[in-house]
Amino acid sequence: MEKKLEDYINGLDVPEEKLDDAIYSGFQKAKREKARLKGKKWWLSVAFVAVLVLGFFTSIRVSPAFANYVAEIPGMEKIVELIRHDKGMMTAIENDYYERIGISEKKNGIEVVIDGVIADENGLVLFYTINSDEKQTEIMMDNVVLKNADGKEAEHYSLTYGGPHYSEKGEKSFNGAIEYFFPEKPLLDRELQLEIEIRGENYSFPLSLKSDIKVKKTYPINQTVTIEGQKIHILDATVYPLRVAVHVKMDPKNTKKLLELEDLRLVDENGEAWTKIKDGVTGSEISDNERIYYLQSNYFKEPKELYLTLNKIQAVDKDYANVIVDFEKGEILKQPRGNRIRDIELSQHHIRFDFYSAEEFPYQLISEAKDVNGRYIDIESTSWEGYQDGHTNIRIGLSNLSSYTNPISLKLSYFPEWIQGEAKIRIK
């Protein structure tokens, strides 16, 4: 399959400047993706570059009815391009589960249009267009706030929105999506207020959602799988139109810290698979051993059989699940075997280190920081420079290290060590 794909790509006539523009845009988005995460700990996917590049090499296989539907709605083809990597959103649109909004506001030559929304009990995805009177090489949102009709900001949510929008040659129109998810309670408000800031100007949009919300489907599972002696208990899977939430617990007796169920997926009787969310929030943490993983949704499919499968897990020995740093001496006291974290540099407000991996590892390594007394340290930002010769330069912004007690502990959320096996559970 890899050989066939390689031959196919090599045979395509893709303008080099277009490809370069996409790659650079992907790197910029990966380095500067904005996320506002409140209420719980979250995992956010950063593997954007491959999605953008492969978009030039793939086509949308849809029914004639869907093609006609897209053609009849102005701008819909741009929305489809945004979500073509997400089978759940694609089938939601194919099943007419998309609500047009079409409201706009213009200030100082910059117009923002809220095109439409896909909403369910768990969250909503708002699609927008930014139009400019002048060509722009870069434009981005600086702030996004969602309020109810009473003006109260939403609580206990995750929010992701891409940025900056980049064009090497300059464009007058850009498209994107704003994704809100509410894991703790259903989205009940149908009258909302969306506020966006661009270049110091505030844009405000009253949103009145009219379409009916599809009710979630829950599959009780309560089964345990074992991979290389490590046990994972699968409690249930809840299917929403936008995504599937798989609730899992790790056995506290496991000898390894299971960081990421890397290829968790739903598979039907024909082998069709719904994989993990590729762009956005991929999971949330309930406790140290209990998590929710998010998959693309099969809500609008009705397979005769449905399986949950798993083969590959990122895992480290529990004794090495945290990186311990002496910030006074600038030394790494403890890390997983292999000496992957090197050449550490510290200041009052950041930690910078060189991360080694044999292949590019497009995951955010650190999820939290705390001092020796257990006081949490705010992680204000994370950035990284491109992978080259096995090395990635990573910088983590921390608030006022001198006010904490040395040493500090950095909790690993991802790491390039794996266990592998075969696990398959029938849930339908």
Side-chain angles (χ1 to χ4, degrees):
M1 182 61 71
E2 291 180 358
K3 182 64 166 59
K4 289 181 179 179
L5 181 60
E6 182 180 357
D7 291 343
Y8 171 65
I9 291 173
N10 289 337
L12 289 175
D13 183 18
V14 182
E16 185 174 350
E17 64 274 11
K18 188 176 183 182
L19 186 57
D20 289 342
D21 190 45
I23 293 172
Y24 185 81
S25 176
F27 276 119
Q28 292 299 311
K29 186 175 182 182
K31 290 197 298 183
R32 300 176 64 178
E33 180 76 4
K34 285 183 173 286
R36 186 172 184 178
L37 311 174
K38 300 181 69 174
K40 287 188 178 182
K41 299 187 181 86
W42 305 82
W43 286 272
L44 180 68
S45 168
V46 295
F48 301 107
V49 178
V51 172
L52 288 169
V53 175
L54 286 175
F56 287 107
F57 305 135
T58 56
S59 60
I60 306 172
R61 295 183 179 181
V62 297
S63 66
F66 181 48
N68 291 335
Y69 176 76
V70 170
E72 289 173 2
I73 301 178
M76 179 57 75
E77 71 281 354
K78 295 180 180 179
I79 292 174
V80 170
E81 183 65 28
L82 283 173
I83 64 171
R84 65 190 307 162
H85 60 278
D86 191 307
K87 293 173 67 173
M89 291 194 205
M90 288 289 291
T91 54
I93 289 180
E94 187 172 1
N95 285 271
D96 203 20
Y97 194 66
Y98 167 84
E99 182 175 346
R100 294 182 64 185
I101 296 178
I103 58 176
S104 65
E105 188 173 8
K106 186 174 182 178
K107 296 184 177 182
N108 295 333
I110 303 293
E111 180 190 41
V112 180
V113 183
I114 307 301
D115 299 300
V117 63
I118 302 174
D120 61 23
E121 295 176 80
N122 196 230
L124 54 85
V125 178
L126 291 156
F127 299 96
Y128 66 84
T129 301
I130 299 175
N131 296 315
S132 173
D133 291 346
E134 304 291 335
K135 284 188 176 182
Q136 304 289 333
T137 57
E138 185 176 306
I139 193 167
M140 67 181 295
M141 295 180 182
D142 295 313
N143 197 23
V144 174
V145 178
L146 185 68
K147 298 179 179 180
N148 62 20
D150 297 327
K152 184 179 180 181
E153 185 176 354
E155 297 180 344
H156 305 296
Y157 63 85
S158 77
L159 162 64
T160 61
Y161 54 99
H165 296 286
Y166 172 83
S167 171
E168 187 175 358
K169 295 181 178 181
E171 301 287 344
K172 288 187 174 182
S173 183
F174 301 87
N175 295 87
I178 300 167
E179 300 188 13
Y180 271 94
F181 289 106
F182 305 89
E184 296 187 0
K185 59 182 180 180
L187 176 66
L188 300 177
D189 294 316
R190 310 299 289 153
E191 301 295 327
L192 301 165
Q193 187 79 16
L194 179 69
E195 297 178 1
I196 296 170
E197 181 183 346
I198 298 178
R199 295 181 179 175
E201 295 287 349
N202 294 313
Y203 297 77
S204 183
F205 304 96
L207 306 177
S208 182
L209 306 185
K210 306 296 185 183
S211 299
D212 293 335
I213 294 294
K214 295 286 186 181
V215 178
K216 66 184 179 184
K217 307 172 187 177
T218 300
Y219 296 97
I221 300 174
N222 293 315
Q223 294 188 49
T224 300
V225 299
T226 302
I227 293 181
E228 290 193 21
Q230 310 302 307
K231 294 182 178 180
I232 307 104
H233 186 60
I234 314 294
L235 283 77
D236 55 53
T238 304
V239 182
Y240 302 91
L242 284 171
R243 61 181 177 177
V244 177
V246 181
H247 187 181
V248 306
K249 281 186 176 181
M250 314 303 179
D251 191 325
K253 296 180 181 179
N254 286 341
T255 59
K256 290 183 176 291
K257 177 72 172 179
L258 307 186
L259 301 174
E260 170 72 350
L261 308 187
E262 194 163 291
D263 62 351
L264 185 68
R265 59 203 181 278
L266 289 172
V267 181
D268 69 9
E269 70 277 10
N270 299 315
E272 183 176 0
W274 290 266
T275 58
K276 294 180 68 177
I277 299 294
K278 292 182 174 65
D279 187 351
V281 174
T282 61
S284 60
E285 182 177 282
I286 298 172
S287 67
D288 201 41
N289 289 313
E290 187 173 358
R291 300 173 192 167
I292 304 291
Y293 287 95
Y294 300 120
L295 310 180
Q296 296 176 39
S297 176
N298 71 328
Y299 188 93
F300 294 98
K301 299 284 187 176
E302 290 295 338
K304 295 179 180 179
E305 300 175 13
L306 192 61
Y307 300 87
L308 193 65
T309 68
L310 174 65
N311 300 97
K312 189 175 182 181
I313 303 173
Q314 290 180 26
V316 296
D317 291 343
K318 283 188 173 180
D319 289 341
Y320 297 94
N322 296 280
V323 178
I324 310 299
V325 177
D326 184 326
F327 63 77
E328 292 177 351
K329 295 181 180 179
E331 296 179 357
I332 300 171
L333 304 180
K334 192 175 186 179
Q335 65 168 301
R337 296 179 182 90
N339 190 34
R340 294 184 183 275
I341 298 175
R342 310 171 183 176
D343 302 325
I344 192 165
E345 295 178 2
L346 295 100
S347 74
Q348 283 295 310
H349 302 289
H350 79 268
I351 295 175
R352 190 214 64 79
F353 56 84
D354 188 54
F355 179 71
Y356 173 79
S357 57
E359 296 180 356
E360 188 170 9
F361 189 70
Y363 295 91
Q364 186 167 312
L365 296 180
I366 306 299
S367 60
E368 70 179 32
K370 56 185 177 181
D371 71 3
V372 73
N373 295 323
R375 294 173 61 207
Y376 285 96
I377 307 170
D378 287 338
I379 296 179
E380 298 176 339
S381 63
T382 300
S383 63
W384 58 97
E385 294 180 5
Y387 177 83
Q388 185 174 5
D389 298 328
H391 298 269
T392 304
N393 187 276
I394 297 176
R395 180 187 173 106
I396 301 172
L398 300 174
S399 58
N400 196 14
L401 278 178
S402 63
S403 65
Y404 295 91
T405 305
N406 195 48
I408 61 173
S409 175
L410 305 176
K411 183 179 178 181
L412 290 172
S413 53
Y414 301 97
F415 203 76
E417 290 185 9
W418 294 271
I419 58 175
Q420 299 187 59
E422 293 186 10
K424 186 176 183 178
I425 296 174
R426 182 169 180 173
I427 65 175
K428 181 181 178 182

